[in-house]
């Protein structure tokens, strides 16, 4: 197996595991902690792993970029972009963009990006290679 394929496979496996976890949380968990906060933490890790599957190296500050992207999404929720664009009646846009702003979500996104950074540090040590 090529050395460049191995990191992609690791990220793909983690991505699939996280995606399944996110779907299970969305469909079956109805609590006051895991669904609202755990899902937000995991979604940033999910985004980071998706980008790493496509670009396993070369994006040195990936967790920071994902955090900035996540904050921008939260900002468009704050200004209620779905309603401003007249898309409130379309469930797809309400789900993808979201409709409620929360400062706590931003903290969760930061925690997820830190979690990914730590995960990536250990993956690099495990395979003995710098991914960035």
């Amino acid at each position: 197996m090529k050395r460049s394929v191995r990191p992609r496979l690791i990220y793909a496996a983690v991505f699939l595991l996280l995606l399944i976890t996110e779907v299970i949380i969305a469909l079956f968990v109805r609590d006051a902690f895991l669904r609202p906060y755990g899902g937000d933490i995991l979604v940033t890790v999910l985004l980071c792993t998706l980008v790493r599957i496509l670009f396993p190296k070369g994006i040195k500050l990936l967790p920071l970029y994902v955090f900035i992207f996540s904050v921008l999404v939260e900002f468009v929720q704050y200004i209620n972009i779905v309603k401003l664009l007249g898309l409130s009646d379309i469930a797809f846009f309400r789900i993808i963009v979201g409709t409620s702003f929360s400062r706590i979500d931003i903290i969760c996104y930061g925690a997820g990006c830190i979690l990914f950074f730590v995960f990536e540090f250990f993956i690099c040590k495990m395979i003995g290679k710098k991914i960035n």
Side-chain angles (χ1 to χ4, degrees):
M1 183 179 300
K2 283 184 168 180
R3 191 107 168 115
S4 64
V5 174
R6 189 172 179 194
R8 284 190 166 138
L9 291 176
I10 293 169
Y11 286 115
V14 173
F15 175 81
L16 287 174
L17 180 66
L18 289 173
L19 183 62
I20 291 166
T21 303
E22 286 280 9
V23 170
I24 289 170
I25 289 171
L27 294 176
F28 302 111
V29 177
R30 302 282 182 247
D31 70 344
F33 180 77
L34 184 59
R35 183 177 171 107
Y37 306 121
D40 286 341
I41 291 169
L42 291 180
V43 77
T44 53
V45 179
L46 182 78
L47 288 172
C48 287
T49 57
L50 176 62
V51 173
R52 282 288 190 237
I53 293 168
L54 303 172
F55 306 101
K57 49 186 162 181
I59 305 176
K60 191 171 191 163
L61 300 175
L62 178 61
L64 176 63
Y65 299 143
V66 168
F67 177 72
I68 291 168
F69 172 78
S70 301
V71 170
L72 288 173
V73 170
E74 201 65 27
F75 174 75
V76 298
Q77 290 175 355
Y78 176 74
I79 63 171
N80 204 353
I81 194 77
V82 174
K83 185 176 179 182
L84 287 173
L85 295 175
L87 302 171
S88 297
D89 295 333
I90 304 170
F92 174 78
F93 291 107
R94 287 193 319 267
I95 292 168
I96 294 298
V97 177
T99 55
S100 62
F101 170 79
S102 171
R103 289 182 181 103
I104 295 172
D105 287 354
I106 294 171
I107 295 168
C108 292
Y109 301 147
C113 289
I114 291 168
L115 181 66
F116 177 78
F117 178 80
V118 170
F119 162 78
E120 195 166 55
F121 176 79
F122 285 110
I123 290 297
C124 290
K125 281 189 142 315
M126 184 175 77
I127 65 173
K129 180 179 173 186
K130 187 173 182 178
I131 293 176
N132 290 334

